[in-house]
Amino acid sequence: MAMTSSPSLSPAPLSFLLFSQRASISRMVLGDQSPDIILPIHVMRNVRAVSYDPLERLVYWLDGRQNIRRARDDGSMSSIIVSSPVQQVDNQLHDLSLDLYSRHIYWTCETTNTITVQKMDGRIIGVVVKDDTDKPRAIVVNAEKGYMYFTTVQEHSAKIEGASLDGTERETLFSTGLIRPVALALDNRLGKLFWVDADLKRIESSDLTDMIRQRSQRNSG
């Protein structure tokens, strides 16, 4: 698919999915038969995580140089929000999520096994979770509830945990039936948390109220 040459996009739809394909970020309108749109954003290779701020129409992503970048969905206002210096190139950032109410960015790091929070203007607030045993990886913030969900990994096991946005009141939500959960997603309208387990090749979900698991899809291929 070719990147659009239009200088700006039409008004963003109300419901859509952003996804990365290594060197591009695309938008799929949910419930619509129109083709996916590759956003006119210049990205580095190996995009690993994507999030969206609908208030500013800013797309945030983690690039192959371990920087967190952002740009308008029409490609303008491109900038680096979190920079990984050359001497810290082994500082492996893993995932990011936005708190749209407090205007904060949460991100995890594989090297330091931490969850760090900073303001969207770049000012660091600090580390809210550090754990060298249960190591934080994927993360999603539920800003409406003041809560975050994140995966943790050990050598031969994985968990899905939750905590308040300041890192307190941490709790284990699921510790069985997981091998390598690689992504989390939240749907506040449905009241559900979704995750993908790459090794089990399935998508599962849980009600946010009683945390009852439900298997959504399994790929047998």
Side-chain angles (χ1 to χ4, degrees):
M1 183 181 295
M3 183 175 294
T4 177
S5 60
S6 172
S8 63
L9 298 174
S10 58
L14 295 178
S15 182
F16 59 90
L17 174 70
L18 292 179
F19 60 95
S20 62
Q21 295 175 300
R22 293 183 64 85
S24 65
I25 299 174
S26 299
R27 185 176 71 195
M28 178 178 67
V29 179
L30 301 178
D32 190 275
Q33 299 301 314
S34 59
D36 302 338
I37 297 174
I38 296 180
L39 299 181
I41 298 174
H42 175 69
V43 302
M44 301 298 296
R45 296 184 61 184
N46 300 321
V47 177
R48 294 187 58 185
V50 178
S51 194
Y52 186 67
D53 175 8
L55 299 179
E56 302 290 341
R57 291 188 63 174
L58 284 168
V59 180
Y60 289 74
W61 71 94
L62 173 61
D63 70 18
R65 293 183 177 176
Q66 304 305 311
N67 299 315
I68 295 178
R69 295 176 171 266
R70 71 180 180 189
R72 291 286 299 272
D73 55 7
D74 61 2
S76 64
M77 297 177 59
S78 179
S79 62
I80 296 176
I81 303 302
V82 177
S83 177
S84 182
V86 174
Q87 65 269 24
Q88 296 180 11
V89 71
D90 60 340
N91 208 29
Q92 296 290 319
L93 306 189
H94 185 88
D95 199 11
L96 66 92
S97 186
L98 305 181
D99 177 351
L100 299 177
Y101 289 178
S102 299
R103 314 302 292 166
H104 291 162
I105 308 170
Y106 286 74
W107 46 273
T108 60
C109 179
E110 296 180 18
T111 308
T112 59
N113 298 316
T114 54
I115 299 175
T116 300
V117 58
Q118 72 175 61
K119 294 183 178 294
M120 289 184 178
D121 62 11
R123 290 178 292 166
I124 291 286
I125 295 176
V127 172
V128 293
V129 172
K130 178 175 175 58
D131 194 329
D132 291 326
T133 301
D134 295 307
K135 305 169 184 179
R137 291 298 184 260
I139 185 170
V140 64
V141 168
N142 188 342
E144 293 183 10
K145 304 295 184 182
Y147 200 75
M148 60 181 170
Y149 301 90
F150 52 96
T151 65
T152 58
V153 297
Q154 296 185 12
E155 186 175 355
H156 299 295
S157 64
K159 295 190 290 187
I160 295 176
E161 301 190 39
S164 298
L165 293 181
D166 61 0
T168 62
E169 301 183 39
R170 182 175 170 180
E171 59 183 334
T172 297
L173 303 176
F174 302 108
S175 59
T176 60
L178 299 168
I179 298 180
R180 191 162 62 97
V182 295
L184 297 171
L186 191 67
D187 189 324
N188 271 320
R189 184 177 60 84
L190 295 178
K192 287 185 176 294
L193 174 71
F194 295 85
W195 64 91
V196 177
D197 194 304
D199 284 4
L200 294 175
K201 297 182 180 180
R202 69 188 184 200
I203 300 172
E204 290 190 75
S205 65
S206 169
D207 186 282
L208 296 180
T209 301
D210 49 27
M211 302 309 294
I212 296 177
R213 292 170 72 164
Q214 179 180 0
R215 189 176 301 178
S216 302
Q217 178 179 338
R218 180 182 178 89
N219 182 1
S220 58

